Amino acid sequence: MKRFFCILSLVFILSLISAAAKIEISTDSDAYNLGEEIASSASLLADAMMQGKFTISMICGNKPADFYSNYVSLEPGFRTTLNPRFKVSGEITGNCRLKGELLDLENRIVEEVESAKFEITKSLNIELDGKTMPAQPGGKAEIKGIVESVSGSVLQYAAVEIELEGKKYFQNTDDGKFDIIIDVPAGIKSGKNEVKIKASDKIGNEGSSFFTIDVAPAHSSIKIISNGTAMPGTEFYFTIRLVDQAGDS
């Protein structure tokens, strides 16, 4: 009798395992910034009727970072979809994953699955409205762009810093956008000049980019270079150099 009971119990446990649901877990991006919310999707498709609990742990490195739990009632042939959200907080960076576990009413693991890895990073993206523009010495240059998280969402509030030849300009984004007009120094070198752009938020995320202004030369003077003192009856050679605003020819 005891043997029959053990066999029956084993059959019951095996039936729970065989009745496991097919589980899929995914996230809406493969990278996130600190402070962002991770939207996930968990899909459970059962082979048999089952009641239990479904949990998802967010694991970064080997440490748990956030947790979700919900009771579920599964029916065969019907797909159950859950959409838990996780918050990226603290100083967590690096590779993370979501680990899902389907538990029966006895808290035994029936099925478990992991999502693809995703990255937590402090790097922001600065998308510029054009990478270069012509400029005149002593004139103006307009630099426009938008600050985004690595997941592609607009960063509503960020501090933007632009620097050209030691002079800095600051502006806070408006709905993620910035539009800064800078002064082009009168004595700037002709040709391509690099403008440094930085963006940061209060949480510690930051990013950088570069914008190029192509400065046209403004010839401000003429230099005459001779080969010595002119003598009567001899040829005299000299060179004329047009000098731009930076003193270059």
Side-chain angles (χ1 to χ4, degrees):
M1 185 69 179
K2 288 184 179 180
R3 182 180 178 185
F4 175 76
F5 178 77
C6 291
I7 293 173
L8 187 62
S9 299
L10 180 60
V11 169
F12 175 72
I13 293 173
L14 289 175
S15 67
L16 286 176
I17 297 174
S18 64
K22 295 178 181 178
I23 304 173
E24 295 178 356
I25 302 177
S26 61
T27 58
D28 61 341
S29 178
D30 58 4
Y32 300 90
N33 285 122
L34 294 180
E36 277 201 282
E37 194 173 58
I38 299 173
S40 69
S41 176
S43 173
L44 295 82
L45 183 61
D47 295 330
M49 185 175 293
M50 177 187 172
Q51 290 185 337
K53 183 170 62 175
F54 184 64
T55 67
I56 301 180
S57 300
M58 185 171 79
I59 302 172
C60 297
N62 292 317
K63 298 180 180 179
D66 204 353
F67 183 78
Y68 166 87
S69 179
N70 194 42
Y71 284 97
V72 292
S73 180
L74 306 179
E75 295 186 20
F78 290 90
R79 186 178 299 276
T80 299
T81 302
L82 304 172
N83 299 108
R85 305 179 82 88
F86 299 88
K87 189 75 171 179
V88 181
S89 58
E91 290 296 318
I92 298 171
T93 56
N95 289 325
C96 300
R97 68 189 190 278
L98 298 180
K99 181 179 180 180
E101 292 183 342
L102 178 62
L103 309 173
D104 63 17
L105 294 178
E106 301 293 329
N107 280 330
R108 293 172 296 203
I109 298 176
V110 177
E111 189 73 41
E112 58 184 352
V113 68
E114 291 188 358
S115 71
K117 290 182 179 180
F118 53 91
E119 183 185 13
I120 306 297
T121 175
K122 296 181 179 181
S123 299
L124 297 175
N125 294 329
I126 302 175
E127 298 295 331
L128 297 173
D129 187 5
K131 288 286 188 179
T132 184
M133 70 171 295
Q136 296 291 331
K140 304 285 185 180
E142 184 179 24
I143 302 175
K144 302 167 63 175
I146 189 167
V147 182
E148 297 178 342
S149 69
V150 291
S151 64
S153 60
V154 173
L155 199 70
Q156 297 297 323
Y157 303 104
V160 178
E161 175 188 308
I162 291 180
E163 181 180 355
L164 175 62
E165 293 202 335
K167 187 174 181 179
K168 295 182 179 180
Y169 303 80
F170 302 92
Q171 187 180 94
N172 292 326
T173 58
D174 182 7
D175 197 24
K177 298 177 182 179
F178 63 91
D179 187 347
I180 302 177
I181 296 177
I182 64 173
D183 298 317
V184 180
I188 194 171
K189 286 185 173 293
S190 300
K192 298 185 184 302
N193 289 263
E194 203 170 69
V195 182
K196 298 178 182 178
I197 306 172
K198 296 180 181 179
S200 61
D201 63 14
K202 295 180 180 179
I203 304 176
N205 299 303
E206 56 186 12
S208 62
S209 186
F210 296 95
F211 185 83
T212 301
I213 56 173
D214 195 356
V215 180
H219 296 114
S220 57
S221 61
I222 298 176
K223 285 187 178 181
I224 299 177
I225 303 172
S226 68
N227 64 342
T229 304
M231 300 296 293
T234 63
E235 292 183 343
F236 178 73
Y237 298 96
F238 61 90
T239 302
I240 297 176
R241 288 178 54 199
L242 296 176
V243 180
D244 68 8
Q245 71 282 353
D248 297 326
S249 56

